[in-house]
Amino acid sequence: MSSLKLGVIGTGAIGRDHIRRCSQALLNSQVVAVTDINLEQAAKVVAELDLVAEIYCDGHALINAPEVEAVLVTSWGPSHEEFVLAAIAAGKPVFCEKPLAVTAAGCRKIVEAEIAHGKRQVQVGFMRSYDQGYRALKAVIDSGQIGEPLMLHCAHRNPTVDENYKTDMAITDTLIHELDVLRWLLADDYVSVQVVFPRKSPKALPHLKDPQIVLLETARGTRIDVEVFVNCQYGYDIQCEVVGETGIARLPEPSQVQLRSQAKLSNAILMDWKDRFIAAYDVELQGFIDGVRAGQVGGPSAWDGFAAAVAADACIEAQNSGAIVRIGLPPRPAFYN
Amino acid sequence: MSSLKLGVIGTGAIGRDHIRRCSQALLNSQVVAVTDINLEQAAKVVAELDLVAEIYCDGHALINAPEVEAVLVTSWGPSHEEFVLAAIAAGKPVFCEKPLAVTAAGCRKIVEAEIAHGKRQVQVGFMRSYDQGYRALKAVIDSGQIGEPLMLHCAHRNPTVDENYKTDMAITDTLIHELDVLRWLLADDYVSVQVVFPRKSPKALPHLKDPQIVLLETARGTRIDVEVFVNCQYGYDIQCEVVGETGIARLPEPSQVQLRSQAKLSNAILMDWKDRFIAAYDVELQGFIDGVRAGQVGGPSAWDGFAAAVAADACIEAQNSGAIVRIGLPPRPAFYN
Amino acid sequence: MSSLKLGVIGTGAIGRDHIRRCSQALLNSQVVAVTDINLEQAAKVVAELDLVAEIYCDGHALINAPEVEAVLVTSWGPSHEEFVLAAIAAGKPVFCEKPLAVTAAGCRKIVEAEIAHGKRQVQVGFMRSYDQGYRALKAVIDSGQIGEPLMLHCAHRNPTVDENYKTDMAITDTLIHELDVLRWLLADDYVSVQVVFPRKSPKALPHLKDPQIVLLETARGTRIDVEVFVNCQYGYDIQCEVVGETGIARLPEPSQVQLRSQAKLSNAILMDWKDRFIAAYDVELQGFIDGVRAGQVGGPSAWDGFAAAVAADACIEAQNSGAIVRIGLPPRPAFYN
Amino acid sequence: MSSLKLGVIGTGAIGRDHIRRCSQALLNSQVVAVTDINLEQAAKVVAELDLVAEIYCDGHALINAPEVEAVLVTSWGPSHEEFVLAAIAAGKPVFCEKPLAVTAAGCRKIVEAEIAHGKRQVQVGFMRSYDQGYRALKAVIDSGQIGEPLMLHCAHRNPTVDENYKTDMAITDTLIHELDVLRWLLADDYVSVQVVFPRKSPKALPHLKDPQIVLLETARGTRIDVEVFVNCQYGYDIQCEVVGETGIARLPEPSQVQLRSQAKLSNAILMDWKDRFIAAYDVELQGFIDGVRAGQVGGPSAWDGFAAAVAADACIEAQNSGAIVRIGLPPRPAFYN
């Protein structure tokens, strides 16, 4: 069977990286069409990566180009909804970087369009569930070795963030990954959230509340605490500990050389988030490509994107109100079972 | 200088163990007087431990015996207040097992009596701050290596508890140790508490809510979460992780042989709480003995006992109400600075 | 550029696995020709893996088939030399599973044929240097963080071996991987070897001396001890600790979920060697494919294969004599610099 | 029963420390007599430690003083033999710092004198077997969890040594501790030794061969390798790994706070050897005191001191000859069973 012919909308950092991936690192795919709000930028990427690809004037033209078999949406967030809906309408499978849409209502519209279409067309770019460590953790949970999960203690820490990072981005840019992966890990939905603000770190800029602790409750009563701390200085550090009825399982630390040096027994901690889940991006996109070629879009669904958006909205309300906020996700349509 | 002559009120499990300690394991002390609500039990302990000690008919007689230079109160909790007050009145230093009194009001009365006496007379039997691991953790914090503490993530887990253990004992018997040691670790006071109940473990008896998560806030804004899980099955496990502005410090695990065996790289986890802080009891009581002989009672004070009682009362209110409860500790008297 | 067209000689376990790899998991390669001593077996593999590939009557026919651009030799060890020489003669790049030849003299003949050919044509199937862990370890050494290496403490342990495993296979099948990777890690050559036999494990069959300790010395004076223990019962465990002038670096343990369960804090140890370096096989063969397509065969060379054979011969002599045996590798031809 | 009255011969660093221990830190002992080659130094120690102790003109006068019930020999090594023999002759229990005598013949003489005396009188100051970590390791071995020991991989590393440290002191001052503790750990005797010299560390002074690797064989065939590296720079680090028939047990690392800081997950490594076994010295001397008071001298015996001396002599011969040297310990007298 021949390679999957991809069209890519958006050639910024993540778009360029996915184009490189699909044209150079993954199996059975080629990028045949690209576009960007800035066409010069699109042309530059095509040239730099030595692609044989048509440059389209906009996303709709690309989606409707006959040679494009599947679409990658890696454009500016607010444009995602429009392009995903157009891809569904055109009957073409679409991989959309997060967020699926910038509002829960937008995500809902996509869910409805997909259901109307009658078959899964959309995969959302949540990559954590493709990480080897999270998969190993889920395997331990599912094996029953630690019994049913009762509590999760998690942390998402970055060394620093720049001045564009605002307090609500702790939810929409940072926690969003936990909102996605913990639902998947537990096969459970969130029902409430509370956010508390510890003493602020002096390393955080004046406009930013950092760190934050997000307290989630699931439908089955599992309690989750996630420390979000984006100026922790010491490293990019993702922690996830699952306390079950009979034991505890912990996400593996990235594998590192153990050093004895200068009065310390140590392992390096990563400083750059890009190094942490780099392999997961490959697995995620290869999964999309293999799925489309097999006629089965899988991975994080539009419903998962919607659920994350609903939860994120509640988290932001909880940031603002200080109260325990209900997360009112509608019942899951049978379509997504 | 000769040995300190101790009188011990209460010869149950902990009393007997402290008598053994003071007469056989520690320096510069001897047990010259004992009493118990059950005088036969007192006589039995004297015989078994081969003591040369007078058996007194009750705590007051013992306290007032001329040869008794200092008093250990290890009797039934509700009797502590009375004996501690009597020891203060008699001008004799007193080591009182926790709780100092069964109500915050009782503790307050002791604080006032001690202040009126004009000099510290009371040491409360909180042993965690005498543990080598907690001391090392405090040394790291105080060194400034991780900056100011912003968050603490703690856990207090027991394999199982018996049927007498009720939901409020998660506070009064279990969390009480964290209420004590974390105040000491942070040199800070609690200002509010909230308790949340995760999905209940099926290993817990029907009448018991287990696990629980206790969320504390301190005067300086540090946020503490303590998981209390007394039917965790796998071990007696005490965790304390301090997240500072620039780094994280974690309480050492007990030192264990590392094994490679049966497809596992493993270290043993203790099953019995008695093995965890056993060395700390020796250090604690030796500290009391040395302090008295040097004319300076130190260690956890009556004020610390009162503060723990006030916090525990608020925690129980928070268990019952589900609300965030204020912890209204009065200003610390200059006497305790 | 189109895919590299591979011919594979030998469709046993490792051959089949490499065929699967090159046709399904790696980029830019296809298997167009196969053969085996057992042609039915070859046909079966072609069918099972759904290949479009010609079945040739023997290795020479396959090597000389015009559509075959590069050759994989995965046949029975004693046949390697013949096929590698034939591939060199035919001017086709060849990847040869270890051993390159069953005698050092055979390896030498290949080295000479390759030099006569004038350009590197041969990559030997030593995969350890493609393992992420060993690469990280080499990066630490090369960074100068631990100074120059002075000693290496290594272990190669298998849970059990079957009755076909003889004492000399501890060298030719087991230690051979250390002989390869440690030369690469240190960029140094062995000059002597001694083998000592500890008390035999009762788990080893009567005919087998197990464990063994191999003591190597390098040209620069670095001392290496390798424990070979192939009935260690507990796991497949590869250890490598490099003691440098100012610090020590240790090969990472495979990444695993950390468990607290049944009174143990544990990480799983692998039981099957196939799971340990599985990713390295992919990287190794992709390296060969990419190298050939770029006109540059790289990776472990025929010289490396020869050096390993010379060292292995000395190790076996040392097993038999109990003496310190010199490892007389001739000077490295400039061709291999 | 009253305190044991000790006389101490030698008030240098270790002597002064043992005097402090016996008079201030341990139970049931007092130092009633001291002497030193330098009487002013002896007087100074008595004054500084606020002792009520007689200063004797020499060791013999002290040994024979009626109030001295037991003797501590902490003088210059070459004088040990004379004082231990005198104590045996005087019928007084004696604790002798290592070495028991500076020659194996001297140790033998003490063994014979003790046997002639008819009862154990001598404890040698080897403290490793009193360390909690080694005791835990021995408990694991003795439990059978890892089967019979087949190999030991050990290391004894110091950050640096001063210019007085000569090549043979790697045996007499450094390895001597492993020679003692590994015999005890295995309940086995050494039968041969070989020493190899890796590439020399440039951090070692010109006159010193450092590192060294000592290869020992025991009567039961267990093979031991000990890396001795006294200019390793990074820390004082004692390693001991016991490879058994079914598993591996490793000496615990000293318990330390785990830090996440500056891109490292780390535990401190000790720099000063004095911090490593500090608790073991207390346990060792308390053991001597308790033993004498109970009429039973225990711990490392004169025979153990002799065995260590015989092994050390062979190690030095092996350093010089480069050959495998037999360790010819005579049969153990029944007296020491």
Side-chain angles (χ1 to χ4, degrees), chain B residues 102-105 171-172 179 308-318 325:
Chain B
V102 290
T103 63
I171 306 302
T172 53
L179 290 177
V310 168
D313 284 354
C315 290
I316 289 172
E317 191 187 328
V325 173

Side-chain angles (χ1 to χ4, degrees), chain D residues 29-333:
Chain D
S29 75
Q30 50 180 314
V31 175
V32 298
V34 303
T35 188
D36 193 88
I37 189 95
N38 176 342
L39 290 176
E40 272 178 45
Q41 160 71 4
K44 199 171 148 236
V45 167
V46 166
E48 282 172 7
L49 295 177
D50 205 17
L51 298 179
V52 183
E54 190 85 8
I55 298 173
Y56 284 87
C57 61
D58 66 23
H60 295 284
L62 178 142
I63 288 166
N64 292 303
E67 81 272 23
V68 170
E69 296 172 339
V71 179
L72 262 54
V73 178
T74 53
S75 51
W76 188 46
S79 67
H80 288 185
E81 179 181 341
E82 171 190 345
F83 294 132
V84 171
L85 288 170
I88 293 171
K92 296 196 177 169
V94 56
F95 175 95
C96 179
E97 260 310 311
K98 66 183 179 64
L100 179 58
V102 290
T103 62
C107 293
R108 189 75 193 256
K109 221 184 286 179
I110 290 169
V111 160
E112 281 157 12
E114 187 177 46
I115 292 175
H117 176 77
K119 197 179 163 193
R120 268 199 62 184
Q121 292 284 93
V122 181
Q123 178 174 337
V124 183
F126 288 129
M127 81 297 185
R128 286 262 187 105
S129 62
Y130 292 94
D131 172 62
Q132 210 174 11
Y134 275 108
R135 290 189 165 195
L137 183 58
K138 188 165 174 61
V140 168
I141 297 170
D142 293 350
S143 74
Q145 279 179 80
I146 61 166
E148 289 294 313
L150 305 176
M151 293 168 282
L152 270 69
H153 305 306
C154 307
H156 188 142
R157 303 185 189 116
N158 292 57
T160 52
V161 289
D162 67 27
E163 59 186 358
N164 296 315
Y165 191 102
K166 302 298 187 310
T167 294
D168 61 350
M169 290 168 68
I171 306 301
T172 53
D173 274 44
T174 302
L175 185 76
I176 194 72
H177 289 288
E178 271 75 21
L179 289 177
D180 163 60
V181 80
L182 302 181
R183 268 183 84 243
W184 167 83
L185 196 66
L186 297 173
D188 200 355
D189 279 307
Y190 310 119
V191 297
S192 78
V193 63
Q194 179 185 4
V195 178
V196 297
F197 294 101
R199 181 179 184 182
K200 181 181 160 164
S201 172
K203 306 289 184 183
L205 291 172
H207 68 269
L208 180 64
K209 289 187 182 172
D210 184 48
Q212 306 180 21
I213 300 172
V214 181
L215 304 164
L216 292 153
E217 187 183 7
T218 75
R220 282 206 284 273
T222 302
R223 290 279 180 168
I224 300 167
D225 43 84
V226 186
E227 175 200 322
V228 176
F229 187 8
V230 296
N231 288 283
C232 81
Q233 310 297 308
Y234 74 83
Y236 181 72
D237 196 6
I238 302 298
Q239 298 288 327
C240 183
E241 189 179 53
V242 182
V243 182
E245 295 163 1
T246 60
I248 296 180
R250 194 183 182 101
L251 186 68
E253 300 278 343
S255 181
Q256 297 285 0
V257 170
Q258 187 194 60
L259 268 181
R260 292 175 189 264
S261 175
Q262 297 180 300
K264 282 199 174 60
L265 176 58
S266 69
N267 291 275
I269 296 178
L270 298 175
M271 288 302 283
D272 191 336
W273 62 268
K274 289 193 211 82
D275 299 331
R276 180 66 177 84
F277 294 107
I278 196 162
Y281 287 106
D282 285 356
V283 181
E284 168 196 57
L285 272 171
Q286 189 69 62
F288 176 71
I289 292 159
D290 294 350
V292 172
R293 293 177 81 234
Q296 285 281 12
V297 175
S301 68
W303 182 258
D304 296 324
F306 172 59
V310 167
D313 284 354
C315 291
I316 288 172
E317 191 186 329
Q319 279 185 329
N320 293 326
S321 70
I324 298 171
V325 174
R326 195 176 154 266
I327 302 181
L329 188 69
R332 174 196 293 257

Side-chain angles (χ1 to χ4, degrees), chain C:
Chain C
M1 199 160 81
S2 63
S3 286
L4 181 68
K5 295 189 180 65
L6 293 168
V8 181
I9 303 171
T11 58
I14 180 80
R16 190 190 195 287
D17 203 35
H18 280 352
I19 293 170
R20 179 198 54 74
R21 218 164 245 125
C22 294
S23 59
Q24 297 175 9
L26 303 182
L27 285 170
N28 302 317
S29 76
Q30 49 180 316
V31 175
V32 298
V34 302
T35 189
D36 193 87
I37 189 95
N38 176 343
L39 290 176
E40 272 178 46
Q41 159 72 3
K44 196 169 152 239
V45 167
V46 167
E48 283 173 6
L49 295 177
D50 204 17
L51 299 179
V52 182
E54 190 84 8
I55 297 174
Y56 284 87
C57 60
D58 66 23
H60 294 284
L62 178 142
I63 288 166
N64 292 303
E67 82 272 24
V68 169
E69 297 171 338
V71 179
L72 261 53
V73 178
T74 53
S75 50
W76 188 46
S79 67
H80 289 186
E81 179 181 342
E82 171 190 346
F83 294 131
V84 172
L85 288 171
I88 293 171
K92 298 196 177 169
V94 55
F95 176 96
C96 178
E97 260 310 312
K98 68 183 179 63
L100 178 58
V102 291
T103 63
C107 293
R108 189 73 194 259
K109 221 184 284 178
I110 290 169
V111 161
E112 281 157 12
E114 187 176 45
I115 292 175
H117 176 78
K119 201 182 161 191
R120 271 199 60 184
Q121 291 284 93
V122 182
Q123 178 174 334
V124 183
F126 287 130
M127 81 298 185
R128 286 262 186 107
S129 63
Y130 292 94
D131 172 62
Q132 211 175 10
Y134 274 108
R135 289 188 166 198
L137 183 59
K138 187 165 176 58
V140 168
I141 296 171
D142 292 350
S143 75
Q145 280 178 80
I146 62 166
E148 289 294 312
L150 305 176
M151 294 169 281
L152 270 68
H153 305 305
C154 307
H156 189 142
R157 303 186 189 116
N158 291 58
T160 52
V161 289
D162 66 27
E163 60 187 356
N164 296 315
Y165 191 102
K166 303 298 186 312
T167 295
D168 61 350
M169 291 167 70
I171 306 301
T172 54
D173 273 44
T174 302
L175 185 77
I176 195 72
H177 289 287
E178 273 74 22
L179 290 177
D180 164 59
V181 81
L182 302 181
R183 266 183 87 243
W184 167 84
L185 196 66
L186 296 173
D188 201 355
D189 278 307
Y190 310 119
V191 297
S192 78
V193 63
Q194 180 185 1
V195 178
V196 297
F197 294 101
R199 180 182 185 180
K200 182 180 159 164
S201 172
K203 305 290 183 181
L205 291 172
H207 68 269
L208 179 65
K209 289 187 182 172
D210 184 49
Q212 307 180 20
I213 300 172
V214 181
L215 304 164
L216 293 152
E217 186 183 5
T218 75
R220 281 207 284 275
T222 302
R223 290 279 180 168
I224 300 167
D225 44 83
V226 186
E227 175 200 322
V228 177
F229 187 10
V230 296
N231 289 283
C232 81
Q233 310 295 310
Y234 76 83
Y236 180 72
D237 196 5
I238 302 299
Q239 298 288 327
C240 182
E241 189 179 55
V242 182
V243 182
E245 295 162 3
T246 60
I248 297 181
R250 197 184 180 102
L251 186 69
E253 301 278 345
S255 183
Q256 299 284 1
V257 170
Q258 187 194 61
L259 269 180
R260 291 175 190 266
S261 174
Q262 295 179 297
K264 282 199 175 60
L265 176 58
S266 69
N267 291 274
I269 294 178
L270 299 174
M271 288 302 283
D272 191 336
W273 64 268
K274 290 193 211 81
D275 299 332
R276 179 64 176 86
F277 294 108
I278 196 160
Y281 287 107
D282 285 356
V283 181
E284 168 196 56
L285 272 170
Q286 189 68 63
F288 176 70
I289 292 159
D290 294 350
V292 172
R293 292 177 81 235
Q296 286 280 15
V297 175
S301 69
W303 181 258
D304 296 325
F306 172 60
V310 169
D313 284 355
C315 290
I316 289 172
E317 191 186 329
Q319 279 186 330
N320 293 326
S321 69
I324 297 171
V325 173
R326 196 179 152 264
I327 302 180
L329 188 68
R332 174 196 293 257
F335 180 88
Y336 290 105
N337 289 341

Side-chain angles (χ1 to χ4, degrees), chain A residues 117-128:
Chain A
H117 177 77
K119 196 177 165 195
R120 269 200 62 185
Q121 291 285 92
V122 181
Q123 178 175 335
V124 183
F126 287 128
M127 81 297 184
R128 286 264 185 104

Side-chain angles (χ1 to χ4, degrees), chain A residues 193-266:
Chain A
V193 62
Q194 180 186 2
V195 178
V196 298
F197 294 102
R199 181 180 184 183
K200 180 179 161 165
S201 171
K203 306 288 184 183
L205 290 172
H207 68 268
L208 179 64
K209 290 187 181 172
D210 183 49
Q212 308 179 21
I213 300 172
V214 181
L215 304 164
L216 293 152
E217 187 184 6
T218 75
R220 282 207 283 274
T222 302
R223 290 281 179 166
I224 300 166
D225 43 86
V226 186
E227 175 200 322
V228 176
F229 187 9
V230 296
N231 289 282
C232 81
Q233 310 296 308
Y234 74 84
Y236 181 72
D237 196 6
I238 303 299
Q239 297 288 328
C240 182
E241 189 179 54
V242 182
V243 182
E245 296 163 0
T246 59
I248 296 181
R250 195 183 181 101
L251 186 69
E253 300 279 343
S255 182
Q256 299 285 359
V257 170
Q258 188 194 60
L259 268 180
R260 291 176 190 264
S261 175
Q262 297 179 298
K264 283 199 172 60
L265 176 58
S266 69

